[in-house]
Amino acid sequence: MKQIQFTSGCPNACSYCYEPKEMKYYDPEIPTDKEVQILDMNFLANPRAVEILKSLPKKKYEFVCGIDYRRLTQEIADLMKEKGFIKVRWAWDYQFGLQKIQKKTYQMFIKAGYNPKSLSVFILVNWKIPYVDCVKKLDLLKVWNVKVNDCCWDGGYKLAKPVYWTPEQIKKFRKMCRKHNQYVNFGIDPEFKS
C-alpha cells in the first residue's frame, strides 16, 4: 500500500494538536497501487480538495488522519464514496454538546452510501473534555453502530500522564472502547463466557 500527501499543516490550531498551522501544498503522483493511504492531517483545508477528489481514479483510498467534519459537505461525502474511500474517520474532540453536528456528519456519510460499520470516530482521551462526556459520546456512537478510535492525548496510552483524567479513567475508557468496537463488529460480546 502506497502513501501520498497533498498537504501538511492544519489551519485550525487546536490547543491539543502539535500539527503546524502553516499549510504546505504538494502535487504527488497518484500511485498505480490498488490501495493508497493519504497522510494529510487536514485534507479538506486544501482549497483544491474537491478538485483533487474529482480527479482521482477510482481505487481504495484511506484518509489516515480522518477528515475535518467542519469542512465536510454532501458533495465531498458523495465523492469519497464514488472514488472508493474506505475506513472513513472523523474526530469528535470537543464536548458532547456537539452531538447534533456529529449526527449530521454521520448522516452525510450514510446518505453517500456508507455502512455505519465502515465509519469510525476519533475521541480524544485524557484532555480537557471530561471522562463523563466521552462516555456519553461512546454511548451515542453505539446507537449509530459506529466504531471509535480512542486517542490518548499527549503521548498515547503507553506514555499517558494523568493530566486531566485519573489513571483509572484512562485505563477504563480504553477498555470500554475496545468492548464498544467488538459490539459494533460482531453484534455480540465475543469474549462473554456463560
Side-chain angles (χ1 to χ4, degrees):
M1 181 180 301
K2 291 286 185 181
Q3 296 179 329
I4 59 172
Q5 194 166 4
F6 293 95
T7 66
S8 60
C10 176
N12 294 340
C14 298
S15 59
Y16 52 81
C17 183
Y18 297 109
E19 187 71 8
K21 187 175 178 180
E22 179 190 351
M23 296 286 293
K24 293 181 181 175
Y25 304 99
Y26 312 103
D27 192 18
E29 186 175 321
I30 307 301
T32 57
D33 300 56
K34 291 180 183 178
E35 296 184 24
V36 177
Q37 290 184 323
I38 299 174
L39 302 178
D40 300 42
M41 184 58 72
N42 193 341
F43 173 83
L44 296 184
N46 187 325
R48 295 183 52 238
V50 172
E51 178 188 334
I52 292 168
L53 285 174
K54 286 180 178 178
S55 73
L56 293 175
K58 186 169 179 168
K59 56 177 71 196
K60 286 186 179 177
Y61 296 100
E62 178 186 353
F63 284 125
V64 175
C65 298
I67 57 94
D68 187 342
Y69 70 88
R70 294 164 286 199
R71 298 170 186 270
L72 182 69
T73 63
Q74 190 62 57
E75 178 189 17
I76 291 168
D78 293 342
L79 275 169
M80 287 175 63
K81 181 65 177 170
E82 178 188 324
K83 297 298 181 171
F85 279 84
I86 59 171
K87 298 179 184 176
V88 176
R89 309 169 181 95
W90 73 94
W92 188 352
D93 295 323
Y94 295 102
Q95 65 273 16
F96 178 75
L98 294 175
Q99 63 176 320
K100 289 182 181 176
I101 293 168
Q102 298 298 326
K103 185 168 186 185
K104 184 179 175 188
T105 301
Y106 164 77
Q107 289 172 325
M108 278 192 262
F109 285 121
I110 297 302
K111 186 176 179 183
Y114 282 99
N115 181 313
K117 286 184 178 183
S118 67
L119 307 174
S120 62
V121 173
F122 291 111
I123 294 180
L124 193 56
V125 174
N126 191 29
W127 191 62
K128 295 176 185 177
I129 302 306
Y131 170 82
V132 173
D133 267 25
C134 290
V135 171
K136 287 180 187 177
K137 292 178 191 180
L138 204 55
D139 287 343
L140 189 53
L141 292 171
K142 197 176 296 165
V143 171
W144 298 345
N145 212 25
V146 170
K147 291 186 287 260
V148 65
N149 299 299
D150 50 315
C151 305
C152 195
W153 174 73
D154 209 20
Y157 281 103
K158 289 184 180 178
L159 303 173
K161 295 182 180 95
V163 181
Y164 297 103
W165 293 17
T166 67
E168 294 77 25
Q169 288 173 326
I170 294 169
K171 187 175 180 181
K172 185 175 181 183
F173 195 76
R174 179 71 175 140
K175 190 173 182 180
M176 290 171 66
C177 289
R178 182 178 181 279
K179 188 56 64 183
H180 168 92
N181 288 340
Q182 287 179 332
Y183 289 148
V184 171
N185 284 328
F186 303 108
I188 60 170
D189 182 347
E191 297 177 324
F192 180 77
K193 296 188 181 9
S194 53

